Amino acid sequence: MKILLVKLSSLGDVVHTLPVVQDIRAAMPDAQIDWVVEKSFAPLLAHTTGLHRIIACEIRRWRKSPLAAATRHEWRAFRQQLQQEAYDAVIDLQGLSKSALVAWLARLAPGGRRYALANQTEGSGYEAPTRWVADVAIRIAAHTAAVQRARELAAQALGYPLQSAPDFGLKVALAPSGRAQAAPDAIAKQVAFVHGTSRADKEWPLAHWIELGRRFNAAGYQIALPHGNAKELATSRAMADALNERIPGQAIVWPLLALDALTQQLAHCAGVIGVDSGVSHIAVALDLPHVQLYNFDTAWRTGPDSAGRQLSVYAQPAPSVEAVWQAWLACQAINRPAA
């Protein structure tokens, strides 16, 4: 059976959808699974076990200049790649007009069907064309977490039961070219602070990050500070300057890393503290000890659910340093090997 998954963006949404691949593999070991995704997120899927083909698109960019010659050329190339295979099942896991268009363009095998969401779930985007294009529209309970929504949609579309906790299937090997430091043991004693987010109202106060960093330094950890743009770089440098003021080397600012290299770096850290962002969700997928910070009561929908190995902390206007530290200690207690 040939199956096409359509989940284009954004990074956190793509991460939340990863367990669908492992669910299908467990239920249908011989199935061929392809995935259409925005090109910028394709490197993450390259580390995902069980995908046959990753079909990259750049719809976000194409929409800015739809009539440009380059856009038309790239769109034709994308359609040709998309239609190389005929699929028994095309599953729109996004529920937006752009994903519905991709699902509609995909070629079906004789008897093949297109599946999509029949309704919006709480906190998620949804647009009616996804339902119009589908041969089968599947209703999901409104109060459903992001990971569970994707898993249930695929399970109902393909007719298999969900029997286990989500497996993200993200496999990362340490590559020397991707290291921010030369020594693996140094990386293992790093805790990454994922402070960057596309929404200012999801940020955690800089003073909180610095105070938390000092607690980690006192416990023997170096703070690793990733960034994805100039604003995040400035914040990382401000944290590093404060933490290194007394003792140099307490914090390090990572270089700007491509998504696959950043995933590798995170995979070899001792843990992650992060706001609700795509990079923070990668830490969940990597099964790292992780505390995720929420200024809004939405952790039920996008936060970790790993029976204590990973925890979310919510408070308004923002969680306290003490609450985050205690959550980290709780994660450590769960992850500590038995004597």
Side-chain angles (χ1 to χ4, degrees):
M1 189 173 187
K2 294 183 179 179
I3 300 163
L4 179 68
L5 307 180
V6 182
K7 186 73 166 187
L8 308 175
S9 59
S10 58
L11 179 56
D13 294 334
V14 170
V15 174
H16 289 146
T17 308
L18 292 177
V20 169
V21 177
Q22 308 313 314
D23 289 343
I24 296 173
R25 292 181 69 217
M28 311 168 70
D30 296 327
Q32 172 186 311
I33 309 169
D34 296 351
W35 188 321
V36 186
V37 70
E38 281 279 346
K39 183 178 180 180
S40 57
F41 308 130
L44 183 70
L45 296 188
H47 290 294
T48 303
T49 303
L51 283 175
H52 173 260
R53 194 163 63 116
I54 301 165
I55 305 169
C57 64
E58 294 189 84
I59 292 176
R60 286 178 167 178
R61 182 171 63 83
W62 294 336
R63 288 193 301 190
K64 296 177 181 178
S65 54
L67 301 180
T71 299
R72 296 198 304 271
H73 173 75
E74 292 170 8
W75 175 254
R76 285 194 298 269
F78 165 67
R79 287 186 61 174
Q80 290 174 357
Q81 186 182 15
L82 177 66
Q83 295 172 349
Q84 284 178 9
E85 300 270 9
Y87 293 99
D88 300 292
V90 175
I91 309 176
D92 177 1
L93 293 157
Q94 187 129 28
L96 300 178
S97 298
K98 60 182 181 180
S99 58
L101 174 61
V102 172
W104 178 71
L105 288 173
R107 189 160 59 95
L108 291 180
R113 288 185 168 188
R114 296 181 176 89
Y115 301 87
L117 287 161
N119 61 293
Q120 184 174 16
T121 57
E122 292 177 27
S124 65
Y126 183 80
E127 295 170 351
T130 189
R131 184 171 62 248
W132 302 340
V133 166
D135 298 302
V136 180
I138 297 169
R139 182 164 292 276
I140 302 294
H143 192 78
T144 301
V147 171
Q148 189 66 12
R149 182 181 78 158
R151 297 183 72 202
E152 287 186 11
L153 176 58
Q156 290 190 47
L158 300 176
Y160 58 81
L162 292 177
Q163 297 180 338
S164 62
D167 176 1
F168 290 84
L170 202 56
K171 306 299 180 186
V172 179
L174 184 61
S177 61
R179 292 177 183 166
Q181 291 196 350
D185 57 341
I187 294 175
K189 287 296 292 181
Q190 288 181 349
V191 170
F193 279 7
V194 177
H195 58 81
T197 171
S198 59
R199 286 176 47 181
D201 58 358
K202 289 185 176 182
E203 293 176 354
W204 205 42
L206 177 61
H208 285 22
W209 283 114
I210 293 170
E211 182 182 342
L212 183 67
R214 287 173 177 154
R215 294 197 186 195
F216 274 101
N217 290 157
Y221 293 98
Q222 183 185 55
I223 303 304
L225 298 164
H227 59 91
N229 55 45
K231 179 178 181 293
E232 292 175 11
L233 174 59
T235 302
S236 289
R237 286 175 172 169
M239 288 188 207
D241 288 345
L243 295 175
N244 292 330
E245 185 176 12
R246 301 172 187 171
I247 304 174
Q250 298 282 61
I252 181 172
V253 178
W254 282 349
L256 181 63
L257 298 170
L259 184 57
D260 52 350
L262 176 59
T263 302
Q264 288 179 332
Q265 288 295 105
L266 288 174
H268 293 84
C269 285
V272 174
I273 310 295
V275 295
D276 177 17
S277 69
V279 176
S280 184
H281 295 308
I282 290 175
V284 175
L286 290 169
D287 197 29
L288 293 170
H290 179 34
V291 179
Q292 202 166 82
L293 316 180
Y294 283 84
N295 301 338
F296 302 92
D297 192 12
T298 54
W300 69 268
R301 185 171 63 85
T302 59
D305 182 16
S306 301
R309 182 174 175 82
Q310 300 160 332
L311 297 173
S312 60
V313 179
Y314 157 68
Q316 288 187 321
S320 68
V321 174
E322 179 63 18
V324 176
W325 179 247
Q326 291 301 322
W328 170 259
L329 294 179
C331 288
Q332 289 297 97
I334 292 293
N335 293 313
R336 189 176 295 117

